[in-house]
Amino acid sequence: MSNEKRSNEQRSNDKQVKRYKTDVVLVGAGIMSATLGALLKQLEPEWSIDVYERLDAAAAESSDAWNNAGTGHSALCELNYTPQNQDGSVDISKALNVNEQFQVSRQFWAHSIESGVLSDPKNFINPIPHVSFVHGADNVKYLRARYDALSANPLFEGMEYIDTADEFTRRLPLMGKGRDFSDPVALNWSDSGTDVDFGALTRQLLNYISGSGGTVHFGSDVRNISQQSDGTWDIKIANLRTGSKKTVNAKFVFVGAGGGALHLLQKSGIEEIKGFGGFPVSGEWLRCTNPDLIGQHSAKVYGKASVGAPPMSVPHLDTRVIGGKPGLLFGPYAGWSPKFLKQGKLTDLPSSVKPGNLMSMLGVGVTELGLVKYLVSELAQSEADRVETLREFAPDVVGKDWELVTAGQRVQVIRKKGRGGVLEFGTAVINAADGTIAGLLGASPGASTAVPAMLDVLQRCFGDRYQGWQPKLKEMVPSLGKKLAEDPALFREMFDWTARGLQLDDTTLLAEPSHRAEPSHRAEASHRAQPSGV
């Protein structure tokens, strides 16, 4: 084809590009966009909201149930939130913060059930014990110190410390069978944990948005974002089904595209994204295929990460409830790919390197050699190696009862620090100074803190309206602005209310396992936290 003919066709295509206007564009149909959209629809019902998703389904990347850890991260069992200090004491500050954030999410979900924003809570959240597990004398000593530090706080009321073989096996028969208890073991056990299917939750929230006048567009790839002279944003979108293109002009844009957020924020040209980079880490799970084994384990059991492993690679034997059916997985086994999304491109990582973040990326390459070494060792594992790792949790398992499945892709935040950069294993809200665009980078605790993260976006980007929204926001999140850890009576009130609203006191789906001891026996067999007086 001649250059002249190609040019004529291009001009013809340009004429066919349609333009639309809307108040809000949300990029990505995952839990973050869905949460923000549901908040805005209640705060400003007249605003037009459009959600654009590249794939043909909602929550098909990081928010998908099998791609996301799905714990309902509340720091009840995740040991990376409670590091040990040099003097042997345990720092619980991050655990308190994560738990506070999850309580905010619980309140929003419970209010959403009451107000009809969400329908069936059993569709997305179910009660399941959260358990920390260690073995070896030094680790047992650490877990006792962790228990002593956490159990005195109202947010962790009811946590138990268990270090006897009989009680261990009664609670966790799959893990107790075949175990050599000459190697000391200990558990921190919390009955107040949950399993959250963020894919199902996302779909319910998007249904509310679309049923309230918003529009969700699938198969729509956001190609570029550029700010106009009046402060609005032009979003260029390609329909992957028809090949047609359009431009949508929006007053506010939120980029909740998971691993794809970094590229789009870079394309926006905002000053605040300079210096930020991303490091992708993939993962795999062993999923149990034997119903008898699934029936022998009803808990989320988290262990300690290997030396040099990122926090997202903390091993856990995890009961999941997906589609109303209990399942069991173990992992994650770390992997690596330059893709930023599970269905991304091999060029994602190299194309993310820009002059503004080059030094940050190079700096992390030098300082994170331990992580690189860990990833190399993980990639070298065979099927037998993976099963052997699983046997640290469940000694008698055999490989034929488990299948390997690919997990979602996570992109860890690289932030500029000094002349170089630092790798962060958390989430970061990035917003332009004028508040017209924002995005979310990072991974864990991610989805579990979607509500406080999106409240942060509202406060940063709608400062002129945020104060006026306070009455409505406090209907959705009654404890907004307060620290529950400092108000035991309010925490108990909020916890009991959310438990009722989310039907977490109804254990009909996950029937009480026969191996669980009665409360009076539990108190005799383990060291139990004292009531906080509420």
Side-chain angles (χ1 to χ4, degrees), residues 126 141 157 193 196 207 298 333 346:
N126 287 278
K141 185 177 179 181
E157 175 185 275
V196 183
N207 284 341
S298 184
Y333 298 93
L346 295 175

Side-chain angles (χ1 to χ4, degrees), residues 144-165:
R144 177 67 209 209
R146 178 184 185 270
Y147 164 78
D148 289 339
L150 287 176
S151 62
N153 190 282
L155 299 181
F156 296 86
E157 175 185 275
M159 178 179 281
E160 301 172 75
Y161 177 80
I162 298 167
D163 60 1
T164 64

Side-chain angles (χ1 to χ4, degrees), residues 50 79 141 156 167-168 191 209 214 219 262 281 402 451 457 508:
D50 287 84
L79 298 179
K141 185 177 179 181
F156 296 86
E167 189 67 6
F168 182 103
D191 275 323
I209 293 169
L262 177 61
V281 179
W402 302 78
V451 178
V457 169
T508 53

Side-chain angles (χ1 to χ4, degrees), residues 381-445:
Q381 280 195 337
S382 65
E383 180 180 348
D385 292 331
R386 295 189 184 95
V387 173
E388 192 60 35
T389 303
L390 169 57
R391 289 193 180 116
E392 181 182 351
F393 279 68
D396 272 7
V397 297
V398 292
K400 66 180 180 63
D401 291 325
W402 302 78
E403 63 179 356
L404 190 68
V405 295
T406 302
Q409 195 81 349
R410 300 290 184 269
V411 179
Q412 310 299 335
V413 175
I414 294 175
R415 188 190 296 264
K416 185 177 181 180
K417 184 177 182 181
R419 292 186 176 181
V422 60
L423 190 65
E424 297 182 352
F425 297 100
T427 52
V429 173
I430 311 296
N431 65 280
D434 64 4
T436 59
I437 187 170
L440 192 84
L441 304 178
S444 182

Side-chain angles (χ1 to χ4, degrees), residues 45-266:
E46 299 306 312
W47 283 8
S48 53
I49 297 177
D50 287 84
V51 183
Y52 289 95
E53 168 58 49
R54 183 171 61 94
L55 302 179
D56 288 326
E61 278 281 356
S62 294
S63 299
D64 179 76
W66 288 114
N67 288 344
N68 189 295
T71 310
H73 285 289
S74 47
L76 294 171
C77 58
E78 303 92 335
L79 298 179
N80 54 298
Y81 297 145
T82 51
Q84 191 165 27
N85 298 317
Q86 293 267 341
D87 62 1
S89 63
V90 176
D91 181 359
I92 65 170
S93 56
K94 186 169 185 179
L96 294 178
N97 184 52
V98 171
N99 194 293
E100 289 269 10
Q101 290 180 310
F102 187 68
Q103 302 310 321
V104 169
S105 291
R106 276 180 58 132
Q107 290 174 55
F108 175 71
W109 299 336
H111 175 270
S112 296
I113 292 291
E114 291 182 353
S115 62
V117 171
L118 297 173
S119 54
D120 179 14
K122 288 294 184 190
N123 175 252
F124 67 89
I125 188 168
N126 287 278
I128 191 74
H130 282 202
V131 184
S132 305
F133 157 65
V134 299
H135 62 92
D138 289 343
N139 287 331
V140 167
K141 185 177 179 181
Y142 154 72
L143 203 66
R144 177 67 209 209
R146 178 184 185 270
Y147 164 78
D148 289 339
L150 287 176
S151 62
N153 190 282
L155 299 181
F156 296 86
E157 175 185 275
M159 178 179 281
E160 301 172 75
Y161 177 80
I162 298 167
D163 60 1
T164 64
D166 287 348
E167 189 67 6
F168 182 103
T169 304
R170 179 157 41 247
R171 304 285 184 103
L172 301 169
L174 183 62
M175 292 179 62
K177 187 178 180 182
R179 180 169 297 279
D180 178 6
F181 284 103
S182 64
D183 179 27
V185 297
L187 306 173
N188 284 170
W189 186 287
S190 298
D191 275 323
S192 57
T194 55
D195 174 80
V196 183
D197 181 340
F198 285 103
L201 174 59
T202 298
R203 288 186 285 274
Q204 284 202 32
L205 290 171
L206 291 174
N207 284 341
Y208 164 73
I209 293 169
S210 60
S212 303
T215 307
V216 182
H217 310 262
F218 293 108
S220 299
D221 187 26
V222 174
R223 298 285 173 84
N224 198 23
I225 303 176
S226 57
Q227 192 167 31
Q228 306 305 294
S229 58
D230 62 355
T232 63
W233 293 87
D234 271 3
I235 302 98
K236 296 187 182 301
I237 302 163
N239 187 314
L240 298 180
R241 299 167 182 168
T242 66
S244 63
K245 296 178 181 179
K246 67 180 179 180
T247 297
V248 178
N249 180 262
K251 298 174 184 176
F252 174 75
V253 179
F254 174 72
V255 184
L262 177 61
H263 282 105
L264 290 175
L265 288 171
Q266 288 174 333

Side-chain angles (χ1 to χ4, degrees), residues 327-339:
L328 184 62
L329 58 78
F330 177 79
Y333 298 93
W336 192 82
S337 164
K339 295 180 180 181

